Amino acid sequence: MLKRGLTIVAALCGMVVASEQSFAQSERKKEKQNLAESTGMPSLTLSPQEQQLSESYFLEGMKFFVLEEYNKALDRFQRAYAISPANAAVNYKLAETSLLLGNVRGALPFSKAALELDPSNPYYHLLLAQIYTNQQQYDDAIKVYARLTQELPHTEQYLFNLTDLYLAKNRLDDALRTLSQIEEKYGLIEEISFKKQQIYLKQNKLEQALKEGENLIASNPEEARYLLAQAEILAANKKIADAIKVAEQALKVAPDNAYGRLMLADLLQQQGKTAEADAQLELAFGNPSLDIDSKVKILVDYIRRLPNEKVAAQAIKLAELTTRAHPREAKAFAVAGDIYVNAERKLPARDSYLKAVALDPGHYKIWQQIVVLDGEMNQNDSLIAHSERALEFFPNQPMFWFYNGTAHLINKNYPKAVKSLEYGRRLSATNPDLQLQFNLQLGDAYHSMEQFALSDQAYEAVLALDPNNPHALNNYSYFLSIRGQNLFKAKAMAGTLVAQHPDNPTYLDTYAWVLYKLKEYQEAKRLLEKAVAVSSDATIIEHYGDVLYQLGQRDLALKQWVRANQVGGASEGISKKIKDKKLYE
């Protein structure tokens, strides 16, 4: 953006020749003619009327320029130029206005002309340098700035621009020389010292770079930033021991500098001093002045190394320091939750996530983690409460309907389970994988409500997508056997399941019970013997007793019923079977 206030003043100053009193007009005409001759421009002698008209166009152009009506301004400046092409101010404003209108090429000749006509005006130099810079003609821009700073007084501030151009052209020695000129004028400046350091480092002149840093430190020994910058250069050049000394010096000056603690921790770690490094990290993490994003970045690195126990202990400590230092930052608790999850500590992970969503409830993934952890910990009441809370913010996310319905199903609240699962299934109509999961749960829920047709439909929908789905094959075949319906279909499904999972006791029991219903007791016995050998499930043991009873081995059957009753979880009729020593179906 051009500094319009300054350029307007410059332009008006350029009109001095055209605005003096009439008694000096002849002298101005002579000067203008000499200037035109010296620049190779045609000599123009303006009549008073022409001069007045040119001034009028120029002033009108300035009015439109101030109003930012640049097209109108350009038109007026062009009219003034047609009358007085050797007027530096007119050329300058034509160049500036063209530049503002995006016509860089059109601006260039007028800017060059303005400078040739009046090389004593610094604004004319600056505009031409800007145009060259915009076109990445850095060599030409350098020449303009060099001429400006060499020929015009009080222009040392533009040496900064010249330095940047030298750096853009990788003319490092010229940049250093120019920076030294700046220091001669203004004295030691932090920005200049840092720039010189970077140049020396590019030139592989480490000693000069360090010397520059020492000079900066000497200028203000209490400024920790200078010391830490020096330590950073030393560390980058493998001088770790020296870097540690300087970093420790910085922390003596500013013990609360959290970034210095981080740097020292990293340096100590590089020397294998893990305990000392961890101590410095803890000091940094306990400091609220160290921003939360820097802490999160470090904690994420710890997560990648989990679940290593030694790493986990330090990661948890840092996470807890972070939440204490930033109790109002949701991301502090979110990353703490991630640390706990990866350290296999589910309860504190879930609680950290809950604190995160209490501060900022709009994070789907955090809510998802919460309900997943509720499910893994078998905390169904919490799962219901948290999934319902999540649905307040994400009512169209089927996953939360799934968890809500599943929790109600586990709690045997079948109507609520079906309601949530049906709603979630509708929302997941375009997602076959989710549809499958909903149908699995609906198959179980509808069976429990004795809505068998709907239960069968749900399982059929699963098997249409995944013919070997273990959950569907097991529950569908078992429920058919309990109802005594489609037993040959149940046998085929259970047989397929056991063929794929020959050592799973639950699947063996399901297949055996289908065979039991088909009165194939001998094969059922073989399967159940295999199952009870690896399982202490009361239902499997009771089924084994029932099969033995049917095979006439009643004493052995009674022993299995007693065992099932002792384990707990057998059928409601187990006591009557034991008392009467008789099978009831």
Side-chain angles (χ1 to χ4, degrees):
M1 179 68 74
L2 294 173
K3 296 179 180 177
R4 295 184 186 122
L6 293 175
T7 56
I8 292 169
V9 172
L12 291 175
C13 290
M15 285 296 290
V16 168
V17 173
S19 61
E20 290 181 349
Q21 297 298 323
S22 59
F23 67 85
Q25 286 179 357
S26 60
E27 287 298 317
R28 290 200 302 275
K29 290 178 183 177
K30 186 185 293 184
E31 291 171 4
K32 186 176 291 185
Q33 185 172 348
N34 291 338
L35 182 59
E37 290 171 358
S38 68
T39 58
M41 298 182 67
S43 176
L44 291 174
T45 302
L46 302 181
S47 67
Q49 292 80 8
E50 288 174 324
Q51 185 167 308
Q52 185 177 9
L53 183 59
S54 178
E55 290 178 9
S56 175
Y57 282 136
F58 184 85
L59 291 173
E60 191 175 356
M62 289 300 300
K63 179 189 71 174
F64 286 123
F65 188 92
V66 171
L67 295 172
E68 299 185 6
E69 298 184 32
Y70 299 124
N71 285 311
K72 291 182 180 179
L74 184 64
D75 174 73
R76 302 313 189 272
F77 292 143
Q78 287 171 337
R79 295 185 189 189
Y81 177 84
I83 299 170
S84 53
N87 188 301
V90 171
N91 278 277
Y92 175 78
K93 294 311 294 183
L94 275 170
E96 186 179 23
T97 309
S98 297
L99 188 61
L100 286 168
L101 288 169
N103 185 4
V104 181
R105 289 189 177 183
L108 182 58
F110 293 112
S111 182
K112 291 170 69 175
L115 184 57
E116 290 171 2
L117 288 163
D118 186 2
S120 67
N121 191 319
Y123 295 102
Y124 298 176
H125 291 264
L126 294 175
L127 181 62
L128 182 57
Q130 180 185 349
I131 292 171
Y132 281 136
T133 303
N134 287 353
Q135 293 186 300
Q136 298 184 352
Q137 295 177 241
Y138 298 130
D139 289 327
D140 291 321
I142 285 170
K143 291 175 183 178
V144 175
Y145 277 118
R147 179 183 177 188
L148 170 65
T149 55
Q150 290 168 11
E151 296 182 1
L152 300 187
H154 311 301
T155 56
E156 295 86 355
Q157 67 266 36
Y158 302 115
L159 290 170
F160 291 95
N161 305 70
L162 183 57
T163 301
D164 290 339
L165 288 168
Y166 280 137
L167 290 173
K169 292 295 294 182
N170 205 35
R171 291 170 59 174
L172 302 183
D173 288 332
D174 288 327
L176 282 170
R177 177 176 47 77
T178 307
L179 289 170
S180 295
Q181 288 180 258
I182 295 172
E183 284 186 326
E184 289 174 11
K185 175 65 179 178
Y186 297 106
L188 192 67
I189 301 174
E190 174 185 310
E191 177 189 353
I192 300 305
S193 293
F194 284 139
K195 276 192 176 181
K196 289 174 74 175
Q197 275 188 317
Q198 293 306 311
I199 294 170
Y200 284 133
L201 290 171
K202 282 186 178 181
Q203 295 177 321
N204 294 317
K205 296 178 179 178
L206 178 60
E207 292 307 316
Q208 287 95 322
L210 292 172
K211 180 61 178 176
E212 201 65 42
E214 289 169 6
N215 292 339
L216 199 55
I217 292 167
S219 72
N220 188 356
E222 300 302 309
E223 180 52 75
R225 287 187 302 112
Y226 299 163
L227 289 159
L228 292 174
Q230 190 80 337
E232 191 172 345
I233 292 174
L234 288 164
N237 288 275
K238 309 301 180 184
K239 295 180 177 291
I240 305 302
D242 292 336
I244 288 174
K245 290 178 183 177
V246 178
E248 288 174 338
Q249 186 182 346
L251 290 169
K252 288 179 182 177
V253 171
D256 289 333
N257 190 304
Y259 293 96
R261 297 285 175 194
L262 284 184
M263 180 185 292
L264 183 56
D266 182 58
L267 293 169
L268 291 167
Q269 191 66 53
Q270 289 184 51
Q271 286 198 328
K273 299 177 179 179
T274 302
E276 294 178 45
D278 287 347
Q280 292 298 324
L281 266 181
E282 289 166 25
L283 288 171
F285 270 67
N287 191 336
S289 69
L290 179 61
D291 67 279
I292 181 67
D293 291 330
S294 295
K295 293 176 181 178
V296 167
K297 184 178 179 181
I298 294 169
L299 288 172
V300 167
D301 184 60
Y302 271 92
I303 290 171
R304 296 191 183 103
R305 291 184 278 155
L306 292 173
N308 180 292
E309 287 186 13
K310 292 183 179 179
V311 174
Q314 179 65 3
I316 290 169
K317 186 180 293 185
L318 295 178
E320 290 173 349
L321 286 168
T322 301
T323 55
R324 284 201 293 270
H326 306 277
R328 305 303 302 167
E329 282 280 1
K331 65 177 68 175
F333 292 98
V335 75
D338 292 342
I339 292 284
Y340 284 124
V341 164
N342 286 276
E344 299 177 354
R345 294 182 59 181
K346 294 179 181 180
L347 183 59
R350 195 274 310 274
D351 292 343
S352 292
Y353 287 137
L354 285 171
K355 290 175 183 177
V357 293
L359 292 167
D360 185 359
H363 289 278
Y364 170 79
K365 289 186 177 180
I366 298 178
W367 279 112
Q368 187 179 40
Q369 286 281 64
I370 290 168
V371 296
V372 167
L373 288 167
D374 283 336
E376 290 178 354
M377 293 186 293
N378 296 315
Q379 295 189 1
N380 289 321
D381 291 340
S382 294
L383 179 54
I384 290 171
H386 295 149
S387 59
E388 287 177 354
R389 181 69 173 149
L391 285 167
E392 293 178 16
F393 299 100
F394 304 99
N396 295 321
Q397 288 293 337
M399 187 57 68
F400 295 128
W401 290 105
F402 176 82
Y403 282 110
N404 184 262
T406 299
H408 282 304
L409 178 61
I410 293 170
N411 280 358
K412 299 183 179 181
N413 191 337
Y414 304 121
K416 283 191 175 181
V418 165
K419 184 178 180 181
S420 292
L421 292 168
E422 283 287 9
Y423 192 83
R425 182 168 65 171
R426 288 195 295 274
L427 288 174
S428 62
T430 59
N431 188 328
D433 291 335
L434 269 180
Q435 283 273 302
L436 185 148
Q437 296 301 322
F438 277 106
N439 279 314
L440 282 173
Q441 303 298 68
L442 282 166
D444 294 354
Y446 279 126
H447 172 81
S448 297
M449 295 176 69
E450 298 186 358
Q451 297 186 29
F452 301 129
L454 292 174
S455 176
D456 292 353
Q457 287 175 16
Y459 289 131
E460 292 289 353
V462 172
L463 295 173
L465 290 172
D466 182 8
N468 294 316
N469 186 277
H471 183 121
L473 290 173
N474 182 70
N475 287 20
Y476 192 11
S477 59
Y478 186 67
F479 292 154
L480 287 174
S481 70
I482 291 174
R483 286 152 43 194
Q485 297 176 347
N486 293 328
L487 292 177
F488 289 105
K489 180 175 183 176
K491 180 180 178 180
M493 290 190 292
T496 298
L497 184 61
V498 168
Q500 294 171 0
H501 306 277
D503 298 318
N504 186 296
T506 299
Y507 300 161
L508 289 168
D509 175 65
T510 296
Y511 192 18
W513 200 244
V514 173
L515 295 174
Y516 176 89
K517 289 289 186 172
L518 288 167
K519 303 186 184 304
E520 297 180 26
Y521 302 125
Q522 201 63 47
E523 181 62 13
K525 177 189 174 187
R526 185 186 70 80
L527 294 171
L528 285 168
E529 285 175 343
K530 188 175 181 181
V532 297
V534 294
S535 173
S536 58
D537 181 88
T539 299
I540 297 175
I541 296 169
E542 184 179 0
H543 284 170
Y544 183 41
D546 292 352
V547 169
L548 291 172
Y549 187 91
Q550 294 287 10
L551 289 170
Q553 300 177 21
R554 299 188 177 185
D555 291 340
L556 291 175
L558 180 61
K559 289 181 180 179
Q560 297 304 319
W561 291 338
V562 170
R563 182 184 168 203
N565 192 42
Q566 291 172 342
V567 169
S571 69
E572 293 180 1
I574 189 71
S575 297
K576 187 171 179 58
K577 288 182 184 179
I578 295 170
K579 180 182 178 182
D580 297 342
K581 301 179 182 180
K582 183 178 179 182
L583 175 64
Y584 292 95
E585 293 186 296

